[in-house]
Amino acid sequence: MTHRVRVFSLAATLVLLVFGAAGLHAGDTEDEIQRYREMINDPMANPAFLNVDRGEALWKLARGEKNVSLETCDLGKGPGILDGAYAELPRYFADSDSVMDLEQRLLWCMTTIQALDTKEIVARKFSTPGTTSDMEDLVAYIANKSSGMTFHIPLDDVQEQNAYAVGEELFYRRGSLLDFSCATCHSADSARIRTTQLPNLTKPGKDATETMGSWPTYRVSQSQMRTMQNRLWDCYRQMRMPPPEYGSAGLTALMIYLAKQADGGTLNVPSIKR
Amino acid sequence: MSPQSSANRGSPMRTLTLCAALFIAGAMNAVAHDTGEHHDEGAQRSGAGDPSITEPYVQEMWRNAEATWKVRLKQDETQASCSRFRNAPPDDVAEKILAREASTVVLPKDGQVLGKWQDGEKVAQSGRGGQFSDNADTVNGGNCYACHQMAKSELSFGTLGPSLSEYGKLRNFSAEAARDTFAKIYNPQATVACSNMPRFGAHAFLTEQQIKDVVAYLFDPDSPVNK
């Protein structure tokens, strides 16, 4: 628990910086955004490191019917190996015979290794001002173990290739009351919604690597650390779709499609953003 | 064709993965139909996407959605075609979309397409409505500013659509242009197949009165859009 002291005053500074920027013209806003992107690199300035600390404790906590910790959970690189694991997810797991992202995999390990009832944990999948989320905390801790590393998504398993194909189709799937698909908002270079820059996620390159390399992230506008599951849930909200099921195969398919576009990009997580 | 069309349709990844997709879909205990069973246009064209592989996943992703929300999982024919062709439909498909969508447009019975621009401005500014986070009594907005420049005084505007600054002025405030614009907002795909703009009237997302008000926002000489 090393980071706590300095986090809070700097969080306040960030709130001012970010919301102060909201009313400015697009060009100025980008300068501000650049400034706080630089602050991300200072772990002392990022409240998500509280999640990292809590996540570490949860990883080592014995619980569930079997009263054991998650430390033997295999995230793809062997039981208990965390370094670099997040940079290779989602991936195929032979034991579950399916492609899983980190959050699905953690639920799987909780169920199979700890015999933990995950209902209550899933109910807290997204933190609120009054409740923490074990999932967000664990993701912060585990993703941080890949910070500085590069995405490696070789798609060398046929199920991974399948998930990618499904993810790509889902990305272009239009529907609901406003006819949106992900591509509506994320298939043009340097397009904006209002003053918000939208990443083009249909191809490899800077947009994809900067986007995927920055999740999980502390979202200043929500005062919470958020994972990719939450980001996609939020985008489906904008698409006027019902809330997608946490940890569903469709979300994992989208994630492997997005992660593949970011292949070779560097992770810098947990980051901090708007 | 929509300016945001395109996408990596011919990428080698696709060829590789689609075969895999058909093979694997069975593994999640759901059926991925062979292309012969599609109802929507252009099902068997090569180079097009295959949205049917997504449907078992869509059902799984929203398996616990409430019945009143589940209706939104079903695509209409136009959405299915635009998904399949990634918003760049071949000409014959585009023609079918245009004809089908044009047939949905309902112009106001009284022939009056101009409402109150002040109310139209609210419609253009509001991005609310239709989201699972909204209250049932939320008034839907058109969120035009998410995608369009309109009044030059509003600096917070998006760029997914073309600028609409001085829209009426540039069209000499013509009654015919205003009528066309009512139809455009009612159903943009009546003139641009697979447009990225929502079909506000056809989906009954905006009311006739709201569309009239937005048309006034674009066409009233006193509206800030024309200043």
Side-chain angles (χ1 to χ4, degrees):
Chain A
M1 308 265 170
T2 47
H3 309 297
R4 234 161 239 193
V5 192
R6 277 149 296 188
V7 164
F8 287 113
S9 60
L10 280 159
T13 317
L14 268 168
V15 173
L16 283 175
L17 192 62
V18 174
F19 289 116
L24 296 177
H25 190 264
D28 302 326
T29 310
E30 268 172 51
D31 289 347
E32 294 298 323
I33 288 170
Q34 193 47 43
R35 267 179 60 201
Y36 92 92
R37 278 213 179 113
E38 281 157 21
M39 296 180 71
I40 295 164
N41 293 323
D42 179 2
M44 302 304 135
N46 184 347
F49 281 86
L50 296 176
N51 301 79
V52 172
D53 291 343
R54 282 199 302 262
E56 179 172 11
L58 284 168
W59 178 255
K60 295 172 179 166
L61 178 70
R63 58 177 171 170
E65 264 170 43
K66 297 190 186 159
N67 198 31
V68 290
S69 77
L70 284 169
E71 286 163 298
T72 59
C73 176
D74 183 351
L75 299 175
K77 306 204 53 109
I81 297 176
L82 299 182
D83 288 353
Y86 187 69
E88 296 180 12
L89 289 168
R91 72 188 299 154
Y92 172 74
F93 290 90
D95 52 10
S96 65
D97 191 27
S98 62
V99 177
M100 294 176 150
D101 77 322
L102 176 56
E103 286 161 86
Q104 265 183 311
R105 186 64 185 170
L106 284 169
L107 290 175
W108 193 87
C109 284
M110 287 171 180
T111 309
T112 56
I113 296 172
Q114 297 180 305
L116 182 65
D117 181 2
T118 55
K119 241 205 211 95
E120 183 272 340
I121 292 191
V122 171
R124 288 187 292 117
K125 59 188 181 288
F126 306 142
S127 58
T128 64
T131 47
T132 59
S133 159
D134 291 9
M135 298 309 292
E136 287 174 352
D137 292 347
L138 284 163
V139 170
Y141 170 60
I142 293 161
N144 181 246
K145 294 274 186 194
S146 291
S147 205
M149 299 186 188
T150 51
F151 273 110
H152 181 57
I153 311 289
L155 297 186
D156 46 20
D157 184 274
V158 73
Q159 290 216 36
E160 293 168 355
Q161 294 157 18
N162 169 57
Y164 177 95
V166 170
E168 184 176 19
E169 289 302 337
L170 282 172
F171 193 88
Y172 288 96
R173 185 185 190 276
R174 296 184 70 169
S176 198
L177 303 180
L178 297 181
D179 301 318
F180 288 156
S181 69
C182 315
T184 307
C185 298
H186 297 294
S187 68
D189 290 332
S190 53
R192 297 196 320 257
I193 277 202
R194 290 282 187 158
T195 54
T196 305
Q197 283 289 332
L198 296 165
N200 182 345
L201 300 173
T202 61
K203 56 178 188 190
K206 193 164 167 281
D207 281 13
T209 53
E210 282 183 359
T211 295
M212 299 308 287
S214 63
W215 284 81
T217 187
Y218 182 83
R219 292 205 63 189
V220 177
S221 56
Q222 303 180 11
S223 308
Q224 308 291 344
M225 214 270 337
R226 295 304 189 200
T227 69
M228 191 45 79
Q229 289 275 340
N230 179 273
R231 181 63 252 183
L232 299 187
W233 176 87
D234 209 6
C235 283
Y236 272 120
R237 183 174 64 85
Q238 296 182 67
M239 290 164 77
R240 275 69 181 176
M241 291 292 273
E245 196 72 20
Y246 184 76
S248 55
L251 290 178
T252 299
L254 272 169
M255 276 185 232
I256 203 167
Y257 171 70
L258 296 171
K260 182 64 186 172
Q261 311 309 321
D263 209 3
T266 306
L267 276 151
N268 190 1
V269 287
S271 77
I272 183 163
K273 59 174 79 185
R274 200 168 68 89
Chain B
M1 244 171 237
S2 148
Q4 269 94 43
S5 63
S6 82
N8 28 330
R9 277 217 267 161
S11 79
M13 184 61 65
R14 294 192 47 71
T15 335
L16 184 90
T17 50
L18 279 174
C19 320
L22 291 172
F23 175 73
I24 290 298
M28 61 178 289
N29 296 324
V31 197
H33 291 290
D34 169 89
T35 46
E37 285 197 43
H38 299 152
H39 304 295
D40 58 313
E41 290 135 0
Q44 285 154 35
R45 253 171 254 260
S46 63
D50 179 8
S52 76
I53 66 170
T54 60
E55 294 319 295
Y57 288 82
V58 167
Q59 292 309 318
E60 190 253 353
M61 260 164 111
W62 285 286
R63 62 182 184 268
N64 290 321
E66 287 163 32
T68 48
W69 280 86
K70 268 197 175 155
V71 292
R72 299 196 193 179
L73 303 185
K74 194 167 160 28
Q75 293 177 303
D76 70 18
E77 237 183 320
T78 294
Q79 289 171 335
S81 286
C82 295
S83 304
R84 174 182 304 281
F85 294 108
R86 308 220 166 133
N87 297 331
D91 290 347
D92 56 333
V93 176
E95 268 165 38
K96 279 192 198 161
I97 293 172
L98 293 172
R100 179 166 57 235
E101 298 305 320
S103 76
T104 70
V105 176
V106 182
L107 293 174
K109 281 205 184 67
D110 60 4
Q112 177 58 263
V113 297
L114 296 173
K116 225 173 123 192
W117 72 258
Q118 291 90 342
D119 290 341
E121 180 162 47
K122 290 182 200 138
V123 175
Q125 286 281 7
S126 165
R128 308 199 57 200
Q131 306 186 351
F132 58 70
S133 52
D134 284 321
N135 298 324
D137 59 356
T138 302
V139 176
N140 292 350
N143 211 12
C144 320
Y145 275 109
C147 300
H148 295 286
Q149 180 175 36
M150 300 178 94
K152 284 200 212 87
S153 50
E154 176 55 87
L155 298 176
S156 176
F157 62 86
T159 60
L160 290 171
S163 171
L164 305 175
S165 284
E166 301 186 21
Y167 200 76
K169 194 171 160 189
L170 291 169
R171 285 158 184 77
N172 300 314
F173 303 110
S174 117
E176 205 194 330
R179 218 169 31 247
D180 289 349
T181 302
F182 183 97
K184 180 73 194 175
I185 300 164
Y186 196 96
N187 191 336
Q189 298 205 47
T191 50
V192 178
C194 300
S195 170
N196 269 337
M197 177 163 152
R199 292 171 289 170
F200 289 112
H203 279 302
F205 193 81
L206 295 179
T207 64
E208 181 181 278
Q209 187 58 47
Q210 285 179 305
I211 299 176
K212 286 183 178 186
D213 293 337
V214 164
V215 175
Y217 189 52
L218 293 172
F219 277 87
D220 194 307
D222 292 332
S223 160
V225 170
N226 294 310
K227 298 291 172 194

